[in-house]
Amino acid sequence: DAGVTQSPTHLIKTRGQQVTLRCSPKSGHDTVSWYQQALGQGPQFIFQYYEEEERQRGNFPDRFSGHQFPNYSSELNVNALLLGDSALYLCASSLGPSGPPLYEQYFGPGTRLTVT
Amino acid sequence: AQKVTQAQTEISVVEKEDVTLDCVYETRDTTYYLFWYKQPPSGELVFLIRRNSFDEQNEISGRYSWNFQKSTSSFNFTITASQVVDSAVYFCALSAPGKLTFGTGTRLTIIP
């Protein structure tokens, strides 16, 4: 049973560029949430996708956007990268967007993004 | 607004000592869930425990135990007889519909 997978593992980009991160949820899960974890901080909720729609969003600018595909996998896109976007980006999957099963979110290993 | 406070930024203990990690939370919801996650150097968050707001029974799982006190809005985590493999960053988190609110984490170092 495959867990949550993310790609790439590491990424280096330049300020102003755009980046796309990918996530495949745990088998049987249909909801994907994205979190940003800056160095020395706890993860911060970016947004959640369910049924190919953004269901909830944290306090992040519109430069952060996403997509969910029919197979439940998801992408996180960040435009006009800033130095402050350097962080570990974590994807979490769950079954259902808001019911109790959601509370058992399974996290992937993350993508380490460095913006120079 | 929801908030989770982990006042201990870093803790170091000698192997086999007991250690308690503190977590204080704020929420206006009457129904909520609390979590502890472990984040080893590899970066992946490992789920340790979930507790709902109506269940204040303490829980023990091997060397791990959790003390949930609704009266003080605390959900503390104790590792008994610590081991080097326990070295990691530990996060306390609070649920809201659709998302988790995390504390800033406590870096635990177990000294051999």
Side-chain angles (χ1 to χ4, degrees), chain A residues 46-110:
Chain A
I46 302 175
F47 44 53
Q48 178 195 71
Y49 276 84
Y50 172 67
E51 293 186 335
E52 302 181 46
E53 292 186 3
E54 183 181 294
R55 297 290 174 160
Q56 288 209 47
R57 189 179 183 92
N59 188 25
F60 279 81
D62 292 344
R63 299 187 297 108
F64 289 77
S65 64
H67 188 77
Q68 185 179 35
F69 300 93
N71 67 351
Y72 307 122
S73 66
S74 177
E75 289 182 348
L76 164 65
N77 301 293
V78 187
N79 294 322
L81 284 167
L82 304 174
L83 294 179
D85 295 331
S86 296
L88 179 68
Y89 288 84
L90 294 163
C91 169
S93 75
S94 57
L95 182 60
S98 59
L102 166 72
Y103 302 136
E104 291 193 19
Q105 293 195 11
Y106 290 80
F107 284 83

Side-chain angles (χ1 to χ4, degrees), chain B residues 49-62:
Chain B
I49 190 173
R50 177 191 73 193
R51 219 61 186 143
N52 74 53
S53 53
F54 298 107
D55 184 0
E56 289 193 67
Q57 280 192 335
N58 291 334
E59 182 160 340
I60 298 174
S61 176

Side-chain angles (χ1 to χ4, degrees), chain B residues 11-110:
Chain B
I11 300 176
S12 294
V13 299
V14 176
E15 193 173 18
K16 297 184 183 178
E17 288 185 352
D18 299 346
V19 58
T20 296
L21 309 183
D22 298 333
C23 173
V24 174
Y25 63 93
E26 296 175 28
T27 181
R28 294 180 181 176
D29 293 331
T30 54
T31 301
Y32 52 89
Y33 288 78
L34 293 160
F35 300 79
W36 276 95
Y37 284 88
K38 175 182 180 179
Q39 189 174 44
S42 61
E44 186 168 349
L45 283 169
V46 178
F47 168 83
L48 295 177
I49 190 173
R50 177 191 73 193
R51 219 61 186 143
N52 74 53
S53 53
F54 298 107
D55 184 0
E56 289 193 67
Q57 280 192 335
N58 291 334
E59 182 160 340
I60 298 174
S61 176
R63 296 184 297 106
Y64 295 169
S65 63
W66 291 270
N67 182 356
F68 176 30
Q69 292 194 345
K70 211 167 175 178
S71 60
T72 56
S73 297
S74 65
F75 186 42
N76 297 337
F77 172 32
T78 297
I79 301 175
T80 302
S82 60
Q83 300 176 2
V84 173
V85 293
D86 296 327
S87 295
V89 180
Y90 290 84
F91 289 97
C92 181
L94 173 66
S95 68
K99 68 175 184 180
L100 292 171
T101 299
F102 286 83
T104 52
T106 297
R107 180 175 298 279
L108 176 63
T109 301
I110 308 301

Side-chain angles (χ1 to χ4, degrees), chain A residues 8-21 36-39 64 78 80-89 110-116:
Chain A
T9 305
H10 294 87
L11 204 51
I12 300 175
K13 289 286 188 178
T14 304
R15 266 185 310 177
Q17 287 188 319
Q18 179 263 344
V19 68
T20 297
L21 310 181
Q36 180 196 66
Q37 186 179 13
L39 196 62
F64 289 77
V78 187
L81 284 167
L82 304 174
L83 294 179
D85 295 331
S86 296
L88 179 68
Y89 288 84
T111 293
R112 174 78 60 188
L113 173 64
T114 301
V115 182
T116 61

